[in-house]
Amino acid sequence: MRERDVEQKLRSEVEKRGGRCFKFLSSVSGVPDRLLLLPGGLVIFVELKKEGEEAKEAAGGTDAKNKGIGVSCPGRGQRTGNSGINEGDRRLEKLKRENMHEYQRYCVDFIETHEEAAVLLDMGLGKTAIALTAIFDLVYDFFLVRKVLVVAPLRVARDQWIAEVGKWEHLSDLRVSVVVGSEQERKVALMRSADVYVINRENVAWLVEKSGAVLDFDMLVVDELSSFKNSDSKRFKGLMKLRPKIKRTVGLTGTPASNGLMDLFAEYKLLDKGKRLGRFITRYRADYFKPDKMNGAVVYSYKPLPFAEEEIYKKISDMTISMKSTDYLQMPEKVVTECMVTMDEKEKKKYDELKKELVLNMGEENEITAANAAALCGKLSQLANGAIYTDDKKVMQFHDKKLDALEDLIEAANGKPVLVAYWYQHDLERIRKRLDEKKIEYDKIDSGESIKRWNAGQLPVGLIHPASAGHGLNLQSGGNCIIWFGITWSLELYQQTNGRLWRQGQNSQTVVINHIITSGTIDERILRVLKGKDATQEELIDAVKANLGG
């Protein structure tokens, strides 16, 4: 095939995906000769050669200079992916719309048929996928929406929404611009042509008051609606300034009233402009509450009147959907999800050094060796989790990405008990330290007393090692969500640990099994093997070898 034919094929395929293909002329040697602009702001440089020819070595020669401005142009023999295996092998197969659960399809229809919707689903039940599917339909099928603003916690805004689009085949044409980072990066993101603009809640005030962007959004999605329970906050006031122009609103959360019915006022006012619970907090308090703790004329807290809960829920019932109202899940249904985290460039470079060279230098005096594939599996798993043992048994901190994700997931649970599975002792120590810093109550599930407290619902977080989660350990009364901070290669221990919650006698309709996975690491291969129910030691060693680039 001639180079011209290759170019025509490339241009055709790029345009099919909504992109543009340009011939790139430069007076600088070593610059690839094609420039691809793809949806989502993705820019790719391509060196074209006819069949049988290799790209010039010089095509990667300018790489060192480019890295200084955040651009990498791989040369001959280099891969553009983040790991030694190819992208198709590393990424999980895309899900199709028909893979959505019945309750998810019900929620999509609810959003599409209600201009104001509060979707109250437990963590892990796919709120993001539900919202994106409804957005896609409203934009491309019904033509009722043109431009959507999504407000979410920082790490969720930065990573989760764009990642969710990549998981589902039917969302592939949805254009998402992530408005995070420096002020300049946020302004550039707002200037992109997109269907959905995702911003973190801390930057709402900046968006409204300082961005200078045209804020002509006609749909608003608030991810973690419970973080807008304070009507005096800057983020709340900022969104209320946009609210008159917005036609459709969606609030997503697990528990909207984690601190009581008083929380609902601001959350629902944001969604319906005060139609159901009123426009003023003073009137809301007078109608449904009475003073509780007082000091003279000063009221420190309120408690609801006897009829308040029933009356409030009746007023908001027409725009609210929760798992209790759907009745669509079997008892119990197992919902398996992944929370992807990404190492930064420096951390990824260190990871790749160990993966390819079997030796990682973490300083002048600390050298970690991996003599064989089995040992390497453990080393790579530790790195993916964020810390690693040196040969003299010291713990070297590597990254906090999984700890940050765990913190977000616990926050999203809104006080509901969460079981956290860890594998290495340093994982336990780092998790404990983070929970202590955040003043989150927890206990290690390894004694009769701790099991009793868990099953009584007295522990917001339970920490468990898979080896201690053997047959006969009943934990289903204490909660319905388990988070794998670090995954094990043992299929038996993996299934046993999940079985502590996913079993008969579980009080909830669903059991959520969430895995925190570091992108581009051994985590992805181990999880794939576990899902395939073929987690023998031999299979996992083979996975390690493949992860090395074989």
Side-chain angles (χ1 to χ4, degrees):
M1 183 180 291
R2 296 173 299 177
E3 184 173 329
R4 184 177 63 184
D5 298 327
V6 177
E7 181 179 15
Q8 290 176 348
K9 177 67 173 176
L10 175 65
R11 184 186 298 112
S12 173
E13 291 300 320
V14 169
E15 290 177 351
K16 282 181 183 178
R17 290 158 174 77
R20 301 288 301 278
C21 177
F22 298 99
K23 190 159 186 175
F24 189 57
L25 302 177
S26 174
S27 60
V28 180
S29 63
V31 177
D33 56 9
R34 298 299 187 279
L35 175 64
L36 309 186
L37 304 180
L38 298 176
L42 182 62
V43 179
I44 300 176
F45 292 92
V46 176
E47 174 76 9
L48 276 185
K49 289 296 175 186
K50 67 181 180 181
E51 192 172 11
E53 287 191 2
E54 292 185 345
K56 296 177 182 178
E57 193 69 42
T62 58
D63 199 37
K65 295 179 181 178
N66 294 337
K67 284 181 178 177
I69 57 172
V71 177
S72 179
C73 297
R76 186 177 64 191
Q78 291 179 277
R79 295 173 181 253
T80 56
N82 288 329
S83 70
I85 58 177
N86 63 62
E87 293 295 305
D89 185 35
R90 186 169 64 81
R91 294 181 179 177
L92 300 177
E93 184 179 351
K94 283 195 175 186
L95 298 168
K96 299 181 184 297
R97 186 163 183 150
E98 52 263 34
N99 296 135
M100 296 187 80
H101 296 281
E102 189 174 356
Y103 75 88
Q104 291 176 315
R105 293 192 290 270
Y106 182 90
C107 292
V108 169
D109 182 70
F110 188 87
I111 293 173
E112 293 172 358
T113 54
H114 292 72
E115 290 190 346
E116 300 152 349
V119 180
L120 316 181
L121 298 180
D122 285 344
M123 175 186 62
L125 296 186
K127 294 189 288 290
T128 308
I130 289 169
L132 283 167
T133 300
I135 289 170
F136 180 87
D137 291 346
L138 290 167
V139 171
Y140 288 107
D141 287 347
F142 303 129
F143 307 107
L144 295 174
V145 170
R146 184 182 60 84
K147 190 175 180 181
V148 183
L149 175 66
V150 174
V151 180
L154 174 58
R155 287 182 285 271
V156 175
R158 184 186 62 205
D159 304 323
Q160 183 172 323
W161 280 78
I162 192 72
E164 198 68 30
V165 170
K167 290 180 183 178
W168 295 88
E169 187 176 276
H170 69 282
L171 299 177
S172 58
D173 291 329
L174 200 61
R175 301 172 300 163
V176 178
S177 182
V178 180
V179 190
V180 301
S182 67
E183 183 173 16
Q184 183 61 32
E185 289 171 330
R186 298 195 300 269
K187 287 183 176 180
V188 170
L190 287 170
M191 292 172 63
R192 293 194 187 107
S193 178
D195 306 308
V196 182
Y197 296 81
V198 188
I199 192 169
N200 57 305
R201 55 199 181 194
E202 293 84 2
N203 275 318
V204 167
W206 169 85
L207 174 70
V208 176
E209 299 169 7
K210 299 180 180 179
S211 69
V214 178
L215 306 179
D216 53 346
F217 303 103
D218 48 13
M219 181 173 180
L220 169 68
V221 178
V222 182
D223 194 348
E224 288 310 324
L225 179 64
S226 58
S227 63
F228 283 82
K229 59 192 174 189
N230 182 0
S231 58
D232 291 326
S233 67
K234 289 184 179 180
R235 66 179 67 160
F236 178 87
K237 292 178 179 178
L239 281 188
M240 287 305 295
K241 289 180 181 178
L242 297 180
R243 190 61 186 84
K245 296 181 180 180
I246 294 173
K247 299 177 182 178
R248 306 184 74 96
T249 56
V250 179
L252 306 174
T253 189
T255 307
S258 57
N259 296 320
L261 295 172
M262 195 69 75
D263 292 351
L264 296 178
F265 172 78
E267 296 169 12
Y268 276 81
K269 182 179 179 180
L270 185 59
L271 297 180
D272 72 356
K273 296 186 287 189
K275 285 190 292 188
R276 290 166 179 81
L277 300 181
R279 295 174 56 199
F280 304 103
I281 184 67
T282 50
R283 180 61 184 268
Y284 179 68
R285 281 199 299 253
D287 286 347
Y288 300 109
F289 299 85
K290 64 180 180 179
D292 185 14
K293 295 180 181 179
M294 303 177 62
N295 184 4
V298 179
V299 180
Y300 292 106
S301 63
Y302 293 83
K303 62 181 179 180
L305 294 168
F307 62 87
E309 183 172 359
E310 181 179 356
E311 187 66 23
I312 290 171
Y313 287 157
K314 182 187 294 184
K315 284 183 176 293
I316 63 176
S317 62
D318 67 305
M319 64 171 290
T320 304
I321 183 173
S322 69
M323 288 312 304
K324 291 181 180 179
S325 67
T326 61
D327 226 8
Y328 275 88
L329 291 180
Q330 297 297 316
M331 175 68 179
E333 180 177 6
K334 180 171 67 172
V335 178
V336 181
T337 64
E338 293 91 39
C339 175
M340 303 296 293
V341 300
T342 304
M343 293 184 286
D344 62 33
E345 184 177 351
K346 183 178 179 181
E347 293 160 352
K348 191 65 179 72
K349 182 178 179 181
K350 289 281 189 181
Y351 180 91
D352 287 339
E353 286 178 8
L354 178 60
K355 182 176 65 177
K356 295 177 181 178
E357 303 173 11
L358 310 188
V359 175
L360 173 64
N361 293 311
M362 302 285 288
E364 293 181 359
E365 299 180 354
N366 295 291
E367 182 177 272
I368 301 166
T369 62
N372 53 56
L376 181 64
C377 176
K379 298 292 186 183
L380 295 176
S381 294
Q382 290 180 62
L383 283 178
N385 291 353
I388 190 167
Y389 288 116
T390 61
D391 286 342
D392 57 0
K393 303 303 181 183
K394 292 182 180 179
V395 177
M396 301 299 300
Q397 301 288 340
F398 189 61
H399 68 80
D400 290 331
K401 300 298 190 298
K402 283 198 175 187
L403 288 172
D404 294 339
L406 177 63
E407 181 183 332
D408 284 347
L409 292 172
I410 292 173
E411 178 187 353
N414 283 304
K416 291 187 177 181
V418 172
L419 194 63
V420 179
Y422 66 94
W423 188 251
Y424 297 99
Q425 183 65 26
H426 58 63
D427 290 342
L428 174 62
E429 293 168 359
R430 291 188 304 123
I431 292 170
R432 280 175 161 169
K433 182 179 179 181
R434 178 62 68 94
L435 295 177
D436 287 337
E437 290 173 352
K438 299 301 177 181
K439 294 181 172 55
I440 298 173
E441 186 180 2
Y442 66 92
D443 201 355
K444 185 179 178 183
I445 310 298
D446 61 353
S447 66
E449 181 60 26
S450 61
I451 293 172
K452 182 178 179 180
R453 290 185 65 204
W454 167 264
N455 281 327
Q458 298 172 356
L459 287 177
V461 178
L463 306 177
I464 191 167
H465 193 283
S468 66
H471 294 291
L473 181 60
N474 296 314
L475 301 175
Q476 69 270 26
S477 298
N480 70 319
C481 178
I482 180 170
I483 300 172
W484 284 88
F485 181 89
I487 54 178
T488 170
W489 56 263
S490 170
L491 177 63
E492 180 182 9
L493 292 180
Y494 175 75
Q495 292 178 334
Q496 286 183 16
T497 304
N498 291 336
R500 300 314 98 210
L501 300 185
W502 188 49
R503 61 194 296 121
Q504 289 184 351
Q506 171 59 245
N507 296 322
S508 176
Q509 291 181 328
T510 59
V511 171
V512 179
I513 302 173
N514 206 329
H515 309 82
I516 304 178
I517 303 297
T518 304
S519 177
T521 70
I522 194 69
D523 275 355
E524 292 177 313
R525 291 301 296 255
I526 294 177
L527 182 59
R528 189 177 298 112
V529 172
L530 289 171
K531 284 185 173 182
K533 303 185 186 303
D534 199 12
T536 63
Q537 184 171 355
E538 181 180 352
E539 286 292 332
L540 283 159
I541 291 175
D542 287 344
V544 172
K545 291 178 180 177
N547 200 250
L548 284 171

